[in-house]
Amino acid sequence: MNSVNLSAVLSSVSEPWQPATVARFNGNEVMVAKAMGSYAWHKHEDTDDFFLVLKGNITIEMRDRSVSLGAGEIFVVPRGVEHRPVATEEAHFILIEPPGTAKDGTTLV
């Protein structure tokens, strides 16, 4: 058990939307990532999608509404809801998902 310096991990992340796992929690992966631009529309059939913004602003677009998040704010996209995160400027965030969740929302076998 060691502490994790999120700033140090994020400084090593060079591409947006490429999460780096920093911990495991109750069977889930805790990841940090950078956001820039729009991510693809997708949904997770079997799991909710947890976002915690650390720096900047991210908008979670859903087909019927959008939720804007700033640093220190969280949002959970319920399972089965089609969504895409969008950042007009670089933002940093924490994402929590079960291991094996593909970037398009499907579960890898």
Side-chain angles (χ1 to χ4, degrees):
M1 296 186 308
N2 294 313
S3 64
V4 176
N5 183 310
L6 298 180
S7 295
V9 174
L10 281 161
S11 70
S12 71
V13 174
S14 60
E15 296 293 321
W17 311 116
Q18 299 299 313
T21 300
V22 295
R24 299 195 191 290
F25 173 75
N26 289 333
N28 291 302
E29 292 181 334
V30 179
M31 299 167 279
V32 294
K34 293 179 179 177
M36 183 62 196
S38 299
Y39 193 73
W41 283 99
H42 67 286
K43 62 182 174 179
H44 305 269
E45 293 293 347
D46 300 321
T47 185
D48 300 329
D49 208 0
F50 174 95
F51 292 87
L52 165 60
V53 177
L54 300 172
K55 175 184 169 187
N57 297 285
I58 296 176
T59 299
I60 308 297
E61 294 181 347
M62 294 163 281
R63 295 299 185 179
D64 63 342
R65 68 184 179 118
S66 295
V67 176
S68 296
L69 304 171
E73 294 184 307
I74 67 169
F75 183 71
V76 177
V77 179
R79 68 189 69 201
V81 174
E82 194 172 16
H83 64 283
R84 72 173 182 171
V86 177
T88 57
E89 296 180 2
E90 183 177 278
H92 300 171
F93 66 102
I94 292 177
L95 180 65
I96 301 175
E97 294 179 337
T101 301
K103 290 179 176 32
D104 65 358
T106 61
T107 301
L108 301 174
V109 178

